[in-house]
Amino acid sequence: MSLLASYLEHAINVFPSLLRGAVITVEVTTFAIFFGLILGTIAAFGKLSRRSVFKIPSTIYVDFIRGTPLFVQILLFYYGIPGLIIGITGDPFRIDPIIAGIAVCSINSGAYNAEIVRAGIKSVDRGQMEAARSLGMTEGQAMKEVIMPQAVKLIIPPLGNEFIALLKDSSLLAIISVHELSKNGMLYVSKTFAAFPTYISVAFVYLALTMGISHALGYIERRLGVSDRSE
C-alpha cells in the first residue's frame, strides 16, 4: 500500500471520531459564547458605571482574564479550585470536564465580550443619549430604546470574530479530557501513531467549521447592514 493510500485510509477511519468531537466543540463554544455574552454585557455596564462598587470589580475581572492565558485559567478552574475546596472541607470534589469547559470558556469569553459591548456602546454618538433625554426618556429608557439598537450593529462583527477565536481555543480543553475535536484526534494517534494524516484531518475539520461560521456570520451581517462586505 502506498503512503498516500495509507494516509487516506487513516483520514477516513478517524473522520467519524472527529465528527463527534466537532459536535462537542461547537456545543461548548455556543454555550460559552451565550453565557459569555450575558456575563460580558453585565461587566461592560459595570465598567461604564459611575459607581465604584460596580466599576472596580468589573475592571478587575476583565483585566485579570484578558491578562492571563486561557490554558492557565482551565488548569486553575479544573484542578486549582477543586483542590482548594478539598483542602478547606476535606471532602472529595470533582467538576465534570464538559461543565468545567463551558464554565471557564464562558468566563474567558465574557471578559472579551465586555470590551466588545463597551466599545460598541461608546461608539454611539453621545448626542443620541442627549437627544433621547431631551424627549423625556430616562437614562435606562434611552439606553434600551436608542443606544443599544445602534450598538448591536457595531457589536456583531467583533462578536463573530470572538466566536471563531473561541472555537479554535476550545482545543485547549483536551488537557482536561473533554472529548472535543483535538482530543479525539489525539486519542486516535495514541492508538495508531498516524500523526500526520490525523492532525491534518483535524486541521481541515477546524477549517471547515470556521469557514462555515464565517460565511454564516457574513450573511447575518449583510442582512442587518452591518458589514462592509454588503457595500
Side-chain angles (χ1 to χ4, degrees):
M1 182 182 295
S2 68
L3 183 62
L4 180 60
S6 175
Y7 281 177
L8 182 60
E9 181 181 4
H10 281 296
I12 293 172
N13 289 339
V14 76
F15 183 74
S17 179
L18 297 185
L19 188 60
R20 291 192 296 272
V23 170
I24 294 176
T25 293
V26 172
E27 287 179 346
V28 169
T29 306
T30 302
F31 278 114
I33 282 290
F34 175 75
F35 291 119
L37 183 57
I38 295 173
L39 187 58
T41 302
I42 294 171
F45 279 104
K47 290 193 70 174
L48 291 170
S49 175
R50 301 185 189 94
R51 299 183 179 181
S52 298
V53 68
F54 300 125
K55 188 179 186 69
I56 292 175
S58 298
T59 301
I60 292 173
Y61 158 65
V62 171
D63 288 348
F64 178 80
I65 296 299
R66 286 168 59 90
T68 56
L70 176 58
F71 181 75
V72 174
Q73 294 165 21
I74 293 170
L75 296 178
L76 176 63
F77 193 91
Y78 189 72
Y79 295 110
I81 293 178
L84 178 63
I85 293 174
I86 292 171
I88 294 173
T89 65
D91 297 323
F93 183 82
R94 183 176 179 273
I95 305 174
D96 180 86
I98 291 183
I99 299 299
I102 292 173
V104 73
C105 286
S106 298
I107 293 170
N108 179 272
S109 180
Y112 290 91
N113 289 339
E115 290 299 282
I116 291 171
V117 172
R118 187 183 68 85
I121 293 172
K122 295 285 286 185
S123 297
V124 177
D125 193 293
R126 289 180 59 87
Q128 298 287 323
M129 174 63 77
E130 295 170 0
R133 293 301 301 275
S134 69
L135 293 174
M137 290 186 180
T138 65
E139 187 172 343
Q141 289 174 329
M143 182 64 70
K144 178 182 177 182
E145 303 293 338
V146 179
I147 304 300
M148 286 307 297
Q150 298 179 68
V152 164
K153 289 187 176 184
L154 301 172
I155 289 169
I156 288 176
L159 190 62
N161 292 336
E162 169 62 16
F163 186 97
I164 292 173
L166 187 61
L167 183 139
K168 293 183 288 186
D169 289 344
S170 67
S171 61
L172 294 172
L173 297 176
I175 193 65
I176 59 173
S177 297
V178 174
H179 285 226
E180 43 73 58
L181 179 54
S182 295
K183 181 65 174 180
N184 282 4
M186 293 167 64
L187 291 174
Y188 185 82
V189 171
S190 69
K191 292 185 293 185
T192 63
F193 301 102
F196 181 80
T198 301
Y199 289 132
I200 196 67
S201 299
V202 170
F204 275 112
V205 174
Y206 273 115
L207 180 63
L209 289 175
T210 56
M211 289 185 65
I213 293 169
S214 180
H215 284 296
L217 290 169
Y219 173 77
I220 293 171
E221 291 170 12
R222 289 192 297 271
R223 293 284 293 179
L224 294 176
V226 298
S227 176
D228 292 339
R229 284 170 286 184
S230 63
E231 296 179 356

